[in-house]
């Protein structure tokens, strides 16, 4: 089993690209952010523990995340590998991952900080199918209706506001970006310019995965 990691700052386009390349990779998307939001919504002990960190734009403790991932990759759809989105985010998480599955490619989506706030503050998703949109950069084709499933029910994340974004960016630079060197030294780190058209980025990612 070989997995892929989509790496990059909040709002880089990891989730957007994961949805687009799912067909060509054949691997399911595993987003720790989505898993944590589901746990918060369900009111599980993990959700209660995670919520205070998420609201503050801080990373949830490694132990919580590693346990979530260990359980997730036991599921039947994960047996040929998965596409991790937003995990790992610290060196201890990457070490834990290395001990449970092989990572063949780390795709780093590179977007400058000054783009991140505008991306995150305009993000919304379909409540039915999870498709990701942006008010300006990636709107629905028909106003108020999901392109993928026709739903008219959308949501915005509580942490997608300007002040929390700044904390999330700080957490990224201090705790997550050191992982780049860790993966570079393993020769599996591919940097993709993420400040371009969504389709061009998808093409480059698929090329890097060949
Ligand atoms: P991440 O999963 O890395 O946090 P998302 O995929 O949710 O990022 O994207 C963040 C926001 O930016 C969304 O509103 C999305 O529609 C938008 N977006 C994604 N890729 C691009 C791009 N290449 N150019 C402009 N906006 C983008
Ligand atoms: P984004 O890509 O926009 O930063 P995510 O959905 O990946 O958003 O993460 C939302 C929040 O969930 C993070 O700010 C953090 O609190 C928590 N989180 C998600 N994944 C991890 C992880 N691997 N390690 C620690 N915290 C995480
Ligand atoms: Zn939808």
């Amino acid at each position: 089993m070989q997995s892929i990691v989509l790496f990059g700052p909040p709002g880089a386009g990891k989730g957007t690209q994961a949805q687009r390349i799912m067909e060509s990779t054949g691997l399911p998307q595993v987003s720790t952010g989505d898993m944590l939001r589901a746990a918060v919504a369900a009111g599980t002990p993990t959700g209660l523990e995670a919520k205070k960190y998420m609201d503050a734009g801080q990373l949830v403790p490694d132990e919580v995340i590693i346990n979530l991932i260990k359980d997730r990759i036991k599921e039947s759809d994960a047996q040929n590998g998965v596409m991790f989105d937003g995990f790992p985010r610290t060196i201890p998480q990457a070490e834990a991952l290395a001990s449970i599955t092989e990572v063949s490619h780390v795709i780093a989506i590179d977007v400058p900080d000054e783009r991140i706030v505008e991306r995150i503050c305009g993000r919304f998703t379909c409540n039915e199918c999870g498709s990701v949109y942006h008010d300006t950069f990636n709107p629905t084709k028909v106003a108020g209706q999901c392109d993928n499933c026709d739903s008219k029910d959308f949501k915005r994340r509580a942490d997608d506001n300007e002040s929390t974004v700044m904390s999330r960016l700080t957490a990224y630079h201090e705790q997550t970006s050191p992982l780049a060197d860790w993966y570079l030294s393993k020769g599996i780190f591919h940097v993709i310019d993420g400040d371009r058209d969504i389709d061009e980025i998808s093409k480059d990612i698929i090329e890097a995965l060949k």
Side-chain angles (χ1 to χ4, degrees):
M1 135 168 174
Q2 283 204 323
S3 292
I4 295 168
V5 169
L6 295 176
F7 183 85
K14 302 179 295 294
T16 299
Q17 294 300 332
Q19 289 177 347
R20 287 177 183 243
I21 64 173
M22 197 125 57
E23 229 166 83
S24 64
T25 63
L27 301 176
Q29 173 189 9
V30 171
S31 158
T32 41
D34 286 347
M35 292 166 76
L36 290 169
R37 280 184 288 280
V40 170
T44 66
T46 297
L48 291 176
E49 160 84 357
K51 188 178 185 304
K52 51 183 187 277
Y53 297 98
M54 297 169 79
D55 287 345
Q58 293 166 0
L59 293 187
V60 172
D62 288 335
E63 194 196 331
V64 174
I65 301 290
I66 292 166
N67 284 333
L68 272 181
I69 290 292
K70 279 188 175 159
D71 285 344
R72 178 65 184 86
I73 67 162
K74 284 181 196 149
E75 287 175 33
S76 58
D77 66 338
Q79 299 317 303
N80 293 323
V82 304
M83 193 163 37
F84 290 108
D85 159 8
F87 171 85
R89 266 169 144 105
T90 63
I91 300 226
Q93 289 181 21
E95 286 170 344
L97 179 61
S99 72
I100 50 181
T101 180
E102 193 181 335
V103 174
S104 62
H105 298 78
V106 177
I107 303 290
I109 306 178
D110 186 33
V111 176
D113 281 9
E114 56 268 27
R115 286 265 175 280
I116 296 298
V117 176
E118 57 185 12
R119 282 208 186 174
I120 284 190
C121 292
R123 168 161 60 186
F124 64 98
T125 56
C126 173
N127 214 4
E128 292 297 323
C129 74
S131 294
V132 187
Y133 297 99
H134 190 280
D135 292 323
T136 316
F137 306 137
N138 186 29
T140 55
K141 290 197 179 81
V142 176
Q145 180 176 310
C146 177
D147 298 353
N148 181 47
C149 76
D150 291 352
S151 166
K152 292 184 165 58
D153 187 14
F154 295 96
K155 62 184 170 193
R156 289 181 193 261
R157 280 168 45 180
D159 61 341
D160 277 353
N161 60 70
E162 207 162 323
S163 66
T164 312
V165 173
M166 299 320 285
S167 310
R168 285 155 64 193
L169 265 177
T170 303
Y172 174 76
H173 288 299
E174 288 178 357
Q175 293 165 274
T176 306
S177 62
L179 265 178
D181 281 340
W182 199 84
Y183 278 123
L184 262 174
S185 70
K186 300 190 183 313
I188 55 172
F189 196 74
H190 305 260
V191 180
I192 306 281
D193 177 3
D195 192 10
R196 290 178 300 156
D197 183 75
I198 293 176
D199 288 333
E200 283 175 42
I201 299 166
S202 308
K203 273 188 214 142
D204 281 5
I205 295 178
I206 290 167
E207 195 55 38
L209 292 175
K210 279 184 182 157

